[in-house]
Amino acid sequence: MPQPLPSHAQVVIIGGGIVGCSVAYHLTKLGWTDVVLLERKSLTCGTTWHAAGLVGQLRATHNLSRLAQYTCELFRTLEQETGQATGFKQNGSLSVATDEERFEELKRGASMARCFGLDVMVITPEEAREKWPLLNIEDVVGAVFLPRDGQVNPSDVARAIAKGAKMGGVSIFENTKVTAIRRGDGRVTGVVTESGDIAAEYVVNCGGMWGREIGAMCGVNVPLHAAEHFYIVTEPMDGVTPDLPVLRDPDGYAYYKEDAGKLLVGAFEPVAKPWGMDGIPEDFAFDQLPDDWDHFEPVLDKALHRVPALAQAGIQLFFCGPESFTPDDRYILGEAPELKNFFVAAGFNSIGIQSAGGAGRVLAEWIVKGYPPMDLWDVDTRRWMPFQGNSRYLHDRTVEGLGLLYAMHWPFRQFETARPVRTSPFHDRLAAHGACCGETCGWERANWFAPSGSEPKYHYSYGRQNWFDCAAAEHRAVREGVGLFDQSSFAKFLLQGHDAERVLNRVCANDVSVPVGKLVYTQWLNDRGGIEADLTVTRVDEDCFLIVTSVSSQIRDFVWLERHIPEGAHAVLTDITSGLAVLGIMGPRSRDLLARVTDADLSNGAFPFATSQEIEFGYAKLRASRITYVGELGWELYIPTEFALSVYDAIVAEGGAFELRHAGMHAMNSLRIEKGYRHWGHDISDEDTPLEAGLGFAVAFDKDGGFIGREALVRQKESGLTRRLVMFALEDPAHMLYHDEPIWRDGKLVGRTTSGMFGHTLGRAIGMGYVENDAGVSTEFIESGSYEIEIACKRMPAHASLRPFYDPGSKRVRV
């Protein structure tokens, strides 16, 4: 007899693909059994059933690799637990490089893999052919082999997870479409289906390529778009044996997988075909899209070169099916900022199988514990801006996004499609000065400025890119003279009301009970002491505070503060980002330049560091804040947008006498790293505490009323630190640091870098990274060790310091 639909469940999961089944399975492992999974048609009928089933463990970032690594471990034991065959086998994966730059990328990935214990081998072309005998190596320069990678049968492994979920108490209903989502008082309350309503405390959107549509039912932004994904399956081939590793040839846009003696050849071509612009057909289930040989032919030509035996093989199947992609090629995970207790796990960009175990586990823990169990910012749904759900934007970005999975992952690589979206008032002025813009959260931001007569265009490499000298000149101008930065992309909020100070002082680790005009650098912490935000708070009036934070954290930080305003408190939070343009005028000559445009007293006595004033400037009135992210004397000017150009023009008109130079984000990054300024999302996260990050000076332990996370910091202070953020400088100036490079101390792996850049003042690459030691990380421990940073599998000597290498006493910012 069919099971009746319940009227209530603790958790309702929408979507019966592998990810939805994984969330359900992992909830039962945490003791939650009142869980209902709803599938519109049949389990796996959307994308899961036609996935290639690759199970790789090395992803683009440390945290995504940790999740993929867990997935592999889950699949290894799932058949034994459930009795359902999965087809899982660990036959390894082999990635080949056809030029030195690709080989460096593979080797850098291999180095990162060592940070979390992955078996990885860098091998020669000849050794690669030994593992894959059909491989043509005439143009291969090297390869990387991961022996513990594997493959599965996607439908079978999804059924195994679903069976495990049902064994744990989950109720699964197929042919049950969700038609609406109930909500009230800012939280989700249940779902409406064609078979009846279910009240629920939590709802999880695992709808795959329907995820955006499901989110729209309750006002939640889920930016994803389907694209056509192509593969062929050959007739049985000699030499295609069951133990053949998965082969990836990223320069050929293809992957190769053994499939019962046949070869599956799949494509991640540079120019993709978005699909579903007019909606997904109502009856879509286990469907195949029309063939497009013309589109696939360039990939096949490269495949015939890489595996010549394909020329004699018949093609049994040409397959085209849809998969969903996000604007940044990272999946979507977490609690929706728009609606409490509504969670999302969707948009897996063709890595849903290998991510499903890890994503399902951490999302289940997030639901049960009320917070993410690890740093998930790479995939956190709070990273999206509202415009990124725009259908035209998603279509145009998807054309590029699919192919980027196999394209070179260059440092500083920029998306080229769906631009421009957001521009500051200064955009055209900066373009006239040679700005080469990057894109962050839709903002066009000047990353560097090309000299007159040169094209402002990137030429990527893992070494010194074509803009290196330009950014060096900008860097030196800020250190020695004066530079102009467009910082309009900063997120800016106002908190107003009689209770504003009380609310902020509970959320901020530092003390914001300060006089009007005082600016406070602070972190927002969670209950574990982890850093949720890193920002400044300026008291602009008795009952009004200006909060300035990172562009990428705009939604996350706004929602964090909004959800920590107690019910009944007189405090109103407003996002004023679009209302204020921001110019940073930085460098030892900044005071002299600004004095030409304002009558305000900018002297150290009248306008000290970490203060803010409203001043007359040119013909405008604006807020000037004496603060810096580059380690020099300087002011940030917060300008009402309608006055922005007149202020900019007035500064530039006077700037010639001071050799004012326009400077971009690359220069800002090198300047801040030399000075040891942290960057949230790289150097600090919700897993790192201020004490570990060297930010204890910004923690007011003794302020009245305490703050969120104080108890955790007190405990950590008493027990001592076992990890600390350390500055590193390479001895050899020829090498570059970026992030996730292993850190070695006296021949022992002790951590990884979090960010890096060439320090033009210091003449070498500078990085930051956490050093860990179970017995404690004291100053003596840091200073007594001999350090190396591993770059592309080679260890480079480095100096370590707990203090910034540049101006450790911060004298220059206070002159």
Side-chain angles (χ1 to χ4, degrees):
M1 293 290 292
Q3 185 181 7
L5 200 68
S7 60
H8 178 275
Q10 189 174 15
V11 183
V12 170
I13 298 168
I14 306 171
I18 190 170
V19 174
C21 293
S22 178
V23 174
Y25 169 88
H26 285 94
L27 282 169
T28 69
K29 296 299 182 183
L30 296 171
W32 284 29
T33 59
D34 185 14
V35 178
V36 170
L37 187 150
L38 305 175
E39 164 53 48
R40 55 179 286 278
K41 296 292 184 182
S42 301
L43 294 183
T44 79
C45 73
T47 294
T48 297
W49 75 277
H50 66 72
L54 311 185
V55 187
Q57 299 178 77
L58 184 58
R59 303 306 310 157
T61 69
H62 178 83
N63 289 325
L64 295 188
S65 296
R66 288 167 65 188
L67 298 184
Q69 191 174 13
Y70 168 78
T71 298
C72 193
E73 291 304 309
L74 173 67
F75 290 173
R76 190 172 57 83
T77 60
L78 196 58
E79 183 172 337
Q80 180 181 356
E81 177 189 346
T82 65
Q84 164 70 48
T86 64
F88 178 65
K89 55 183 180 180
Q90 286 181 287
N91 45 357
S93 72
L94 178 69
S95 296
V96 297
T98 59
D99 59 46
E100 292 297 336
E101 292 276 26
R102 176 71 74 175
F103 196 27
E104 171 148 355
E105 176 174 287
L106 294 181
K107 288 186 289 185
R108 281 179 173 268
S111 288
M112 183 180 73
R114 294 195 177 102
C115 293
F116 41 93
L118 270 184
D119 291 337
V120 59
M121 299 187 303
V122 178
I123 60 177
T124 66
E126 292 73 23
E127 290 170 326
R129 187 167 55 191
E130 289 176 10
K131 297 183 181 298
W132 226 90
L134 298 179
L135 182 67
N136 173 16
I137 62 170
E138 65 181 18
D139 57 346
V140 173
V141 300
V144 166
F145 180 64
L146 286 94
R148 293 172 60 192
D149 279 0
Q151 61 187 66
V152 292
N153 182 306
S155 293
D156 285 346
V157 77
R159 290 191 189 98
I161 297 176
K163 184 176 180 180
K166 287 198 282 188
M167 289 165 59
V170 173
S171 299
I172 297 178
F173 294 87
E174 297 181 280
N175 298 303
T176 306
K177 181 181 178 181
V178 172
T179 58
I181 295 171
R182 301 287 193 200
R183 47 186 166 158
D185 296 326
R187 67 181 61 242
V188 71
T189 59
V191 301
V192 178
T193 80
E194 295 172 332
S195 304
D197 297 2
I198 305 177
E201 298 171 42
Y202 300 87
V203 174
V204 189
N205 176 1
C206 299
M209 58 186 171
W210 290 271
R212 179 168 171 261
E213 174 186 332
I214 293 167
M217 293 179 185
C218 54
V220 170
N221 185 26
V222 184
L224 56 81
H225 198 294
E228 298 182 22
H229 182 54
F230 297 86
Y231 60 74
I232 60 169
V233 180
T234 70
E235 299 286 354
M237 292 176 60
D238 292 338
V240 178
T241 55
D243 61 347
L244 199 65
V246 170
L247 171 66
R248 292 182 179 87
D249 177 18
D251 294 322
Y253 323 134
Y255 59 87
Y256 303 76
K257 170 201 168 189
E258 182 274 335
D259 187 359
K262 299 163 284 189
L263 201 60
L264 184 153
V265 183
F268 288 107
E269 67 278 15
V271 180
K273 293 182 66 178
W275 179 80
M277 285 71 74
D278 298 323
I280 302 170
E282 179 63 29
D283 60 352
F284 191 93
F286 300 111
D287 283 14
Q288 182 172 343
L289 303 181
D291 297 346
D292 189 340
W293 277 105
D294 290 340
H295 188 79
F296 189 73
E297 187 175 11
V299 178
L300 185 58
D301 288 343
K302 290 179 177 290
L304 289 168
H305 168 72
R306 185 60 55 223
V307 185
L310 283 171
Q312 285 74 50
I315 296 177
Q316 185 181 84
L317 172 68
F318 183 101
F319 185 86
C320 177
E323 296 189 1
S324 56
F325 289 82
T326 63
D328 62 3
D329 277 348
R330 300 198 302 271
Y331 50 89
I332 307 171
L333 206 65
E335 186 180 18
E338 302 94 338
L339 187 63
K340 292 179 181 177
N341 291 359
F342 185 86
F343 287 78
V344 181
F348 278 82
N349 304 280
S350 282
I351 60 167
I353 302 300
Q354 62 190 280
S355 303
R361 188 197 74 187
V362 295
L363 193 69
E365 292 181 10
W366 193 336
I367 293 168
V368 171
K369 295 179 179 179
Y371 59 86
M374 58 181 283
D375 174 19
L376 294 171
W377 182 237
D378 288 336
V379 293
D380 196 315
T381 188
R382 292 172 291 178
R383 73 188 187 273
W384 300 120
M385 299 302 302
F387 82 88
Q388 290 177 296
N390 176 290
S391 58
R392 181 175 294 185
Y393 169 85
L394 289 169
H395 170 277
D396 292 353
R397 178 56 62 84
T398 301
V399 171
E400 179 185 18
L402 180 147
L404 288 179
L405 295 177
Y406 272 24
M408 286 291 296
H409 298 91
W410 298 115
F412 312 107
R413 180 162 189 158
Q414 303 296 321
F415 284 99
E416 297 176 2
T417 53
R419 294 176 58 184
V421 179
R422 306 168 81 186
T423 58
S424 85
F426 313 115
H427 179 74
D428 291 347
R429 297 284 205 276
L430 303 186
H433 277 84
C436 183
C437 287
E439 181 260 336
T440 302
C441 300
W443 282 99
E444 295 291 322
R445 305 196 306 173
N447 279 348
W448 55 281
F449 288 83
S452 179
S454 299
E455 184 181 14
K457 182 178 180 181
Y458 278 95
H459 298 290
Y460 298 112
S461 77
Y462 274 98
R464 298 183 176 187
Q465 297 184 11
N466 66 309
W467 49 265
F468 182 89
D469 290 340
C470 301
E474 297 164 21
H475 178 115
R476 285 191 290 269
V478 175
R479 286 279 183 254
E480 300 165 8
V482 59
L484 178 151
F485 296 92
D486 178 6
Q487 299 171 222
S488 301
S489 59
F490 278 169
K492 301 166 282 280
F493 316 139
L494 280 183
L495 186 68
Q496 298 166 285
H498 302 318
D499 295 323
E501 179 188 304
R502 179 171 62 86
V503 169
L504 269 177
N505 240 0
R506 179 64 184 160
V507 173
C508 295
N510 213 340
D511 192 352
V512 297
S513 180
V514 294
V516 172
K518 182 65 177 174
L519 186 151
V520 179
Y521 171 59
T522 187
Q523 287 75 48
W524 294 349
L525 309 181
N526 54 45
D527 289 331
R528 286 95 55 212
I531 301 171
E532 292 286 345
D534 180 72
L535 41 76
T536 61
V537 175
T538 303
R539 189 167 206 155
V540 297
D541 208 338
E542 284 298 324
D543 295 336
C544 184
F545 293 82
L546 172 66
I547 299 150
V548 179
T549 188
S550 162
V551 53
S552 58
S553 303
Q554 183 172 351
I555 299 298
R556 178 192 178 107
D557 293 353
F558 186 91
V559 172
W560 181 267
L561 181 54
E562 183 180 50
R563 292 187 177 183
H564 283 87
I565 298 175
E567 187 175 351
H570 188 265
V572 178
L573 183 63
T574 308
D575 189 327
I576 60 168
T577 300
S578 298
L580 293 175
V582 183
L583 289 175
I585 309 300
M586 300 289 159
R589 304 189 75 187
S590 58
R591 178 182 283 123
D592 299 333
L593 168 57
L594 295 177
R596 292 281 192 97
V597 196
T598 180
D599 293 331
D601 186 350
L602 302 179
S603 67
N604 202 42
F607 209 140
F609 180 72
T611 61
S612 180
Q613 300 178 24
E614 271 201 348
I615 64 173
E616 293 181 355
F617 198 95
Y619 297 136
K621 202 164 191 176
L622 54 79
R623 174 163 297 280
S625 295
R626 190 175 162 193
I627 194 69
T628 179
Y629 194 51
V630 298
E632 300 292 343
L633 172 70
W635 279 262
E636 292 173 355
L637 308 179
Y638 292 81
I639 315 158
T641 51
E642 67 269 33
F643 295 100
L645 288 181
S646 70
V647 169
Y648 169 88
D649 289 342
I651 293 171
V652 172
E654 298 290 347
F658 301 93
E659 298 182 344
L660 172 69
R661 189 168 193 123
H662 288 70
M665 293 296 119
H666 291 334
M668 179 174 285
N669 197 32
S670 62
L671 290 159
R672 71 97 185 168
I673 286 181
E674 282 189 336
K675 188 63 181 71
Y677 290 151
R678 281 56 168 155
H679 183 284
W680 193 93
H682 287 94
D683 310 307
I684 49 179
S685 73
D686 57 6
E687 285 191 293
D688 310 309
T689 72
L691 302 182
E692 295 167 338
L695 298 174
F697 66 88
V699 178
F701 280 99
D702 298 328
K703 68 176 178 177
D704 292 341
F707 55 90
I708 297 170
R710 181 185 182 278
E711 291 75 14
L713 294 190
V714 169
R715 289 192 299 270
Q716 188 178 59
K717 202 172 184 181
E718 292 172 348
S719 62
L721 298 175
T722 58
R723 63 193 298 268
R724 294 179 75 174
L725 189 64
V726 179
M727 302 291 303
F728 293 95
L730 292 184
E731 290 185 6
D732 186 344
H735 300 284
M736 306 293 285
L737 291 175
Y738 298 112
H739 56 79
D740 287 322
E741 292 98 354
I743 301 168
W744 298 84
R745 179 187 182 274
D746 295 340
K748 179 183 177 181
L749 183 64
V750 293
R752 62 185 176 89
T753 61
T754 54
S755 62
M757 199 75 172
F758 194 89
H760 298 286
T761 308
L762 302 171
R764 62 192 64 195
I766 309 298
M768 300 186 202
Y770 284 93
V771 170
E772 303 184 18
N773 181 41
D774 290 340
V777 182
S778 63
T779 301
E780 181 184 358
F781 179 84
I782 297 299
E783 294 177 348
S784 63
S786 176
Y787 291 88
E788 297 169 303
I789 308 294
E790 182 178 327
I791 302 172
C793 299
K794 293 183 179 180
R795 299 185 194 178
M796 308 295 174
H799 299 287
S801 174
L802 287 170
R803 304 185 73 201
F805 291 109
Y806 180 79
D807 189 23
S810 295
K811 295 178 180 179
R812 295 178 65 86
V813 304
R814 300 175 185 277
V815 294

